[in-house]
Each structure stands twice: as C-alpha cells, then as structure tokens.
Amino acid sequence: MRKKLFIAIMGTLLTLSLAGCGDALNNSRNDIQSQKTSYTKRSLTAPFSDLLYGFSAIEKYVANGDYGAATTLSNNLYDEFHDAILPPLRAKKGKAYAERIDKNYDELQVAISKKDKSKVTELIKENRDSLKTIAPILGVSVISSE
C-alpha cells in the first residue's frame, strides 16, 4: 500500500512539474516573438528616417546644382529602400502595391539623372508622402521636418 501511495504522489509531482515547465516554455516563446516584433519595428525606423532626411539633402544638392552628390545619395537611399522597406511592404500589402511605391522612387532617380530640378522637387514630395503613408502600415512612427 505504501509503495502505491508513494508512486501516486511521485506521479502527481512529476505531472505538475512538467505542466509548470510547459508554461515557462510558452512564456519564453512569447517573449522571443514580441522581441522579434519590436526589433522589426526598430529596424525599420532607421531606414525611414534615412530616406526622409536624404530627401531633404537631395533637395539641397539639386538646388545648388550638385547633381553628382544627389545621384550618389539617391543611389544609396535606393539600396536602403529596396533592402529594408520594400520586402516587408510587399509582404503586408502585396506585390502590386509595393511596385507602385517603387515606381515613384525609380522616377526620382531618372529625374535626378536628367537634372530636371522641378521634376525632382515634385517627386521628392510624392516619395515623402508615400513614406508617410506606408510607415503606419509597417508599424513605424515617423516624424518629418520638411
């Protein structure tokens, strides 16, 4: 009788301890998932800020007639846009939506290469507005001083 009671108690303790471990494992998985989400949002904040600041710099370069510097900066921002912002946008809103946003940026690069000051100004405004539109979609808060 004593042996059966001992086995029952040990079985109960083992079951309870395993149940506790399962909750701890689930909690750690939830923590990791929330860390991944917050890291993703943080990692997108920098590219958005870079682009918004970069657009202002491009405007200044173009105003001063420095199309070489504008082209260099535009190419760097283009890479950042395609590496950091476009993939999550494509995942959230679909390929067609992302391509529409990308098309505006491509047009900006063409305008810079053609040294079309008025078109560059117009396209920077459009691209800046696009960034402000897609930022909340991707869970990024942006503050821009235009």
Side-chain angles (χ1 to χ4, degrees):
M1 178 75 174
R2 231 180 192 180
K3 213 177 199 183
K4 288 182 182 179
L5 183 62
F6 179 74
I7 291 173
I9 291 173
M10 291 305 283
T12 304
L13 289 174
L14 180 64
T15 303
L16 290 174
S17 68
L18 288 176
C21 288
D23 287 345
L25 184 60
N26 281 341
N27 288 339
S28 70
R29 283 185 184 155
N30 290 340
D31 289 343
I32 290 170
Q33 186 63 32
S34 68
Q35 287 173 354
K36 284 181 183 177
T37 302
S38 65
Y39 174 75
T40 302
K41 288 180 184 175
R42 265 196 320 265
S43 68
L44 286 175
T45 302
F48 273 92
S49 296
D50 291 348
L51 282 160
L52 290 170
Y53 174 76
F55 289 152
S56 297
I58 289 171
E59 282 179 317
K60 289 177 185 173
Y61 289 140
V62 168
N64 293 329
D66 191 354
Y67 287 94
T71 299
T72 301
L73 181 55
S74 177
N75 289 338
N76 291 338
L77 294 175
Y78 179 88
D79 291 341
E80 189 168 15
F81 178 75
H82 279 83
D83 291 344
I85 296 174
L86 214 51
L89 181 63
R90 190 176 290 122
K92 282 243 183 177
K93 295 295 282 181
K95 186 177 179 180
Y97 185 85
E99 285 179 3
R100 276 196 314 265
I101 300 295
D102 184 31
K103 182 179 171 240
N104 280 346
Y105 199 88
D106 292 342
E107 288 176 6
L108 174 61
Q109 285 198 298
V110 170
I112 292 170
S113 69
K114 289 184 177 180
K115 300 179 181 181
D116 186 347
K117 187 176 181 177
S118 63
K119 190 72 173 170
V120 168
T121 303
E122 174 188 328
L123 288 167
I124 284 178
K125 182 184 179 332
E126 286 180 25
N127 279 287
R128 191 178 279 133
D129 291 344
S130 292
L131 283 178
K132 289 178 184 178
T133 300
I134 64 174
I137 293 170
L138 297 177
V140 176
S141 175
V142 293
I143 299 172
S144 170
S145 58
E146 295 182 33

